[in-house]
Amino acid sequence: MMVFTNLQITAFFEDNAQMGLSNWTHIHLQAEGIAHPTDLTELVKKDSWDQVLKNCKRPPQISGPNNAGRMMAQQPFQLPTKLLLRLCIAVKVVDYHVQMNRALSTANMMWVWLNNFQVEWDTIPEQKK
């Protein structure tokens, strides 16, 4: 596994040309255990996504700003469909690299490369026919 710097990890998750998550949602995913691109392997199974989405919709309560003893609801974390689709493609790419014992790099985790991977991945079933 290649070492990603903190700046590269943040860019992967938050840059609009990459996954495009808000900082707030990125921090939430870190709390869920998705802190590095390789952590996306945890989301290969569909039911894993279901739990992440459920947790984004119903975040834990936080202490009230005026009364620390009073809990209040947080605003749900935003995970728009476009970003979810990008994350799903990134999951496939990470899983492929892990299965093929290939190192991840910032270059092969760029959205342009991920999107090309998806196009090629989608043609495989067609070639088998």
Side-chain angles (χ1 to χ4, degrees):
M1 170 177 78
M2 182 191 166
V3 176
F4 285 72
T5 66
N6 287 337
L7 198 58
Q8 290 168 327
I9 293 169
T10 299
F12 171 76
F13 284 106
E14 296 182 24
D15 192 289
N16 285 332
Q18 292 290 88
M19 298 300 102
L21 298 173
S22 69
N23 179 260
W24 182 243
T25 302
H26 179 208
I27 290 170
H28 174 68
L29 288 181
Q30 287 174 332
E32 292 278 336
I34 311 297
H36 190 278
T38 57
D39 295 333
L40 292 170
T41 58
E42 304 290 326
L43 300 174
V44 170
K45 296 178 183 160
K46 184 186 180 305
D47 58 340
S48 299
W49 277 113
D50 293 342
Q51 188 61 50
V52 169
L53 293 173
K54 181 180 175 184
N55 292 348
C56 283
K57 289 178 185 176
R58 295 184 182 262
Q61 290 189 330
I62 57 173
S63 298
N66 300 326
N67 183 350
R70 184 170 184 215
M71 302 301 283
M72 61 182 277
Q74 293 187 70
Q75 183 177 8
F77 297 99
Q78 298 296 312
L79 199 55
T81 304
K82 177 182 175 182
L83 304 183
L84 183 60
L85 291 173
R86 285 184 174 204
L87 284 170
C88 288
I89 292 168
V91 166
K92 287 181 188 177
V93 171
V94 171
D95 187 50
Y96 171 81
H97 279 79
V98 168
Q99 289 186 30
M100 297 294 122
N101 201 24
R102 295 182 65 190
L104 286 178
S105 70
T106 55
N108 62 23
M109 292 305 290
M110 298 296 291
W111 172 245
V112 172
W113 195 91
L114 297 175
N115 194 33
N116 287 338
F117 177 91
Q118 181 65 38
V119 170
E120 291 176 20
W121 187 262
D122 289 344
T123 63
I124 291 171
E126 293 172 15
Q127 293 175 357
K128 288 182 179 181
K129 291 180 182 179

